[in-house]
Amino acid sequence: MPNHRDKTLVSHSVPFLVLPENRFAYSATELLLHRRRKNEGLLLHIYGASGCGKSHLAENFLRKQRAKNNSLNCRRLTATDLLTRSSNDSCGKMFEDLRAQLRDCNVLICEDIQTLDRQMVSQCFLIGVIDELYVCGCRMIFTSCNSPTQLTGLHPRLVNRLRAGICASVRLPSLSSRIKLLEHFVTSKHMALPKDAIRLIANEMPVSPRELLATLQQIESTARLLKQSLDVSLVRRLLNTTVKPLSHSVSKITRTVARDFGVATAALRSHSRYQELVLPRHCAMFLCRMLTDQSYTRIAEQFGSRNHSSVVHACHRIKTLLPNRPQLRQRISRIALQLGANLPGSC
């Protein structure tokens, strides 16, 4: 299981399930796995909405690759790793050190490259790495939320390299696929959930696999706290009172923030205290306060029935961080633009 806790709500201990929406991307990873030519690399770009299974698919490929040849040098990066180096005063040396570490790499996975939007130092480094590793026969998987042509903030040379490889989309699951996913999760997690409850969740939650799993876990944990068995009536009540109810504007903001940070919407509304959920949750609360007329109390109610002081604290923390965190400012502005909004001057 990878160390990137921002994706922990899709437990990669759950076996990967091949569905019509991910079958082509899965077949492409199998091609990478069994490719025999050693003097020419192969690049795969997997793109799709947040939570649709890109990281799980990459992890599935890595697991099979290591089982096949555990001596291979496999490296996994996120775009945030590159941004951290580019923001450092000694970024030149840090990039050279990283380039040296990657030089003998047989398999490279680099996730969320849309985060490199307009970050030309990091992008130029990545272009050089791709060129070096391709000549050495490295297998490379890149993931992003959009296809190469839609990644408008990337350098044309980087876009061309992504387009030159195999481009495979992963779509959000249809109703029938959501039912299969939920049945798969229930079996893998040894949960007791009747089929009519599974169908109800699939009908009511047209969301990503990550959000389906988060919803399932939230329902199970709530039922455990209530000391009630999971039947369709309880699931319906929880869906209506705990999982689903957000005002339209708050819902849109929360979904957009979750997508940008790569976490599940249900996770932001849960009581989970994973450190990797704190900042996106605070950003969501901050933007809800800035962009809607909702009170602190009302916003708190829609984030797991918290106290209004939690939202006050979140807004204060984000406003304190913004002056000294240019990447956070860019992220907040990007999310606001996606929402078609301009940020007012104060919270």
Side-chain angles (χ1 to χ4, degrees):
M1 185 170 176
N3 293 325
H4 304 301
R5 280 286 191 90
D6 56 339
K7 302 183 188 295
T8 48
L9 288 171
V10 174
S11 172
H12 294 163
S13 62
V14 177
F16 187 81
L17 180 65
V18 181
L19 296 166
E21 292 82 4
N22 61 34
R23 183 168 284 115
F24 179 74
Y26 174 81
S27 298
T29 63
E30 290 293 294
L31 175 64
L32 256 69
L33 184 67
H34 300 292
R35 186 177 177 87
R36 297 184 179 277
R37 297 176 65 179
K38 297 182 179 180
N39 60 344
E40 183 180 280
L42 187 62
L43 186 150
L44 168 62
H45 179 214
I46 305 173
Y47 61 93
S50 177
C52 65
K54 303 184 296 294
S55 294
H56 198 178
L57 186 55
E59 182 66 22
N60 183 67
F61 166 78
L62 267 185
R63 180 181 56 78
K64 289 185 175 182
Q65 184 68 77
R66 286 166 177 153
K68 184 179 178 183
N69 187 349
N70 198 40
S71 64
L72 289 180
N73 182 6
C74 303
R75 292 297 304 266
R76 191 165 190 169
L77 297 173
T78 66
T80 305
D81 296 329
L82 300 179
L83 289 177
T84 301
R85 286 173 168 81
S86 66
S87 63
N88 194 287
D89 291 337
S90 57
C91 68
K93 183 179 185 308
M94 295 181 74
F95 273 131
E96 282 306 311
D97 290 344
L98 180 59
R99 187 189 295 271
Q101 295 171 26
L102 295 176
R103 198 155 284 146
D104 298 324
C105 184
N106 305 109
V107 176
L108 173 67
I109 293 177
C110 185
E111 298 193 72
D112 299 325
I113 58 171
Q114 74 277 355
T115 311
L116 298 179
D117 181 42
R118 298 180 180 84
Q119 302 296 320
M120 292 305 162
V121 174
S122 297
Q123 289 186 36
C124 288
F125 168 79
L126 195 55
I127 291 168
V129 167
I130 291 173
D131 291 346
E132 286 185 16
L133 294 182
Y134 189 86
V135 172
C136 299
C138 181
R139 298 169 175 85
M140 294 172 273
I141 296 179
F142 291 83
T143 71
S144 72
C145 59
N146 290 315
S147 67
T149 54
Q150 294 175 310
L151 295 171
T152 55
L154 296 191
H155 194 289
R157 289 168 57 205
L158 181 53
V159 172
N160 287 339
R161 280 153 180 77
L162 295 175
R163 292 179 64 187
I166 301 172
C167 295
S169 68
V170 179
R171 305 185 307 277
L172 291 174
S174 64
L175 174 60
S176 61
S177 291
R178 292 197 299 275
I179 292 172
K180 290 177 183 177
L181 274 167
L182 287 167
E183 291 173 342
H184 179 63
F185 293 152
V186 166
T187 301
S188 299
K189 296 294 184 181
H190 307 290
M191 295 171 58
L193 190 66
K195 289 189 175 182
D196 52 355
I198 288 175
R199 180 168 286 277
L200 175 63
I201 296 171
N203 270 305
E204 295 294 317
M205 301 294 291
V207 294
S208 70
R210 184 189 301 162
E211 289 177 293
L212 280 177
L213 180 55
T215 297
L216 205 58
Q217 292 172 332
Q218 187 177 4
I219 288 173
E220 182 191 33
S221 61
T222 305
R224 192 182 302 118
L225 287 172
L226 296 173
K227 297 182 179 180
Q228 296 184 25
S229 59
L230 278 171
D231 56 29
V232 69
S233 61
L234 177 62
V235 169
R236 179 178 286 107
R237 179 157 61 88
L238 294 179
L239 284 174
N240 290 331
T241 60
T242 305
V243 179
K244 288 177 61 179
L246 282 173
S247 70
H248 176 70
S249 54
V250 171
S251 175
K252 185 176 180 181
I253 291 169
T254 308
R255 285 199 309 270
T256 306
V257 172
R259 183 169 59 246
D260 194 87
F261 277 90
V263 299
T265 303
L268 296 188
R269 301 177 58 201
S270 73
H271 286 278
S272 171
R273 294 190 178 184
Y274 275 134
Q275 188 62 36
E276 289 74 10
L277 292 174
V278 173
L279 181 60
R281 183 181 289 134
H282 284 180
C283 287
M285 291 178 172
F286 171 77
L287 285 168
C288 286
R289 179 62 180 168
M290 296 285 277
L291 302 178
T292 75
D293 58 0
Q294 302 272 0
S295 66
Y296 289 118
T297 300
R298 179 58 184 145
I299 293 170
E301 289 172 353
Q302 297 181 85
F303 280 86
S305 300
R306 285 177 163 80
N307 189 282
H308 79 283
S309 60
S310 299
V311 183
V312 174
H313 169 71
C315 291
H316 176 73
R317 179 173 181 246
I318 296 300
K319 291 175 73 175
T320 302
L321 290 175
L322 286 176
N324 302 312
R325 297 272 292 272
Q327 291 177 17
L328 181 60
R329 287 201 306 272
Q330 291 172 5
R331 174 166 246 161
I332 293 286
S333 298
R334 180 173 67 241
I335 293 171
L337 286 173
Q338 291 174 24
L339 293 164
N342 292 314
L343 289 174
S346 62
C347 181

